[in-house]
Amino acid sequence: DVVYNLKVEKEGNYIFTSVNRCFLTVTGLQVNQIIGKRVQDVIPEPSLTLVLDKYAEAIRKKKIVRWEETTEYPTGLVTGEVSIAPVFDDQGHCTYLAGTVHDITERKRMEEALAKEQFLMNMLMDNVPDGIYFKDKEGRFIRTNKSQAVRFGLSDPTETVGKTDFDFFTEEHAQ
């Protein structure tokens, strides 16, 4: 995971003091582009506005704040689950922020690809005039299209879920 530390100089002004190698790998940035630089000089918009709001929230609430963020870096779009923890001195002033980012870019890409496939499957299921259904290994319907539901005398395909042929046919025809 990406790990980084920020010095809090004044509200809204955060300076990178350290980053791990993963930070460099994920972003494609070099150490001299980060260490000693303000967050505003490293994190591009539109992510910057969100980041600054979350940093302020962590300081205000005096607790760890988490969020999901997608940012454009030299390596491309990076999506991460971000956590920021404020560190306070004896007088109660926030002096540092410690952050981590768990890179979920590949997972997000897979979720998007799956969502596209699901959309195409739904379009097919909803628009084919033939009855289509899927059953589990126990013979229960897990999905039917509208055409099949109509054949069963139903208006909503979800009414078939969990049922078997015995719910729709005589015992002789269900076997």
Side-chain angles (χ1 to χ4, degrees), residues 23-74:
F23 190 111
L24 305 175
T25 302
V26 167
T27 64
L29 299 172
Q30 302 296 315
V31 172
N32 64 349
Q33 294 175 290
I34 304 165
I35 302 302
K37 305 289 186 198
R38 297 176 324 136
V39 167
Q40 294 88 330
D41 300 325
V42 177
I43 300 174
E45 286 291 2
S47 298
L48 178 61
T49 300
L50 171 66
V51 166
L52 293 175
D53 288 346
K54 294 297 184 179
Y55 290 178
E57 179 183 344
I59 294 168
R60 186 178 67 255
K61 292 183 176 180
K62 297 184 177 189
K63 68 176 196 172
I64 296 171
V65 173
R66 294 177 175 83
W67 69 95
E68 187 175 293
E69 168 191 330
T70 301
T71 305
E72 180 79 33
Y73 286 109

Side-chain angles (χ1 to χ4, degrees), residues 85-112:
V87 178
F88 296 90
D89 64 15
D90 293 340
Q91 291 78 40
H93 298 103
C94 184
T95 54
Y96 287 91
L97 293 173
T100 62
V101 181
H102 178 67
D103 185 0
I104 59 169
T105 304
E106 190 58 32
R107 184 183 90 198
K108 283 297 194 180
R109 285 185 187 135
M110 297 301 289
E111 287 173 356
E112 288 172 10

Side-chain angles (χ1 to χ4, degrees), residues 4 8 10 39 58 67 69 76 81 102 126 132 134 142 156 160-161 163 174:
Y4 61 96
V8 179
K10 59 182 177 179
V39 167
W67 69 95
E69 168 191 330
E81 294 173 336
H102 178 67
D126 293 343
I132 300 175
F134 298 97
I142 56 176
D156 182 359
T160 64
V161 175
K163 296 183 179 175

Side-chain angles (χ1 to χ4, degrees), residues 141-161:
F141 290 96
I142 56 176
R143 181 156 185 200
T144 62
N145 68 348
K146 187 166 182 143
S147 296
Q148 186 65 37
V150 167
R151 286 191 173 99
F152 288 151
L154 304 170
S155 59
D156 182 359
T158 62
E159 294 178 73
T160 64
V161 175

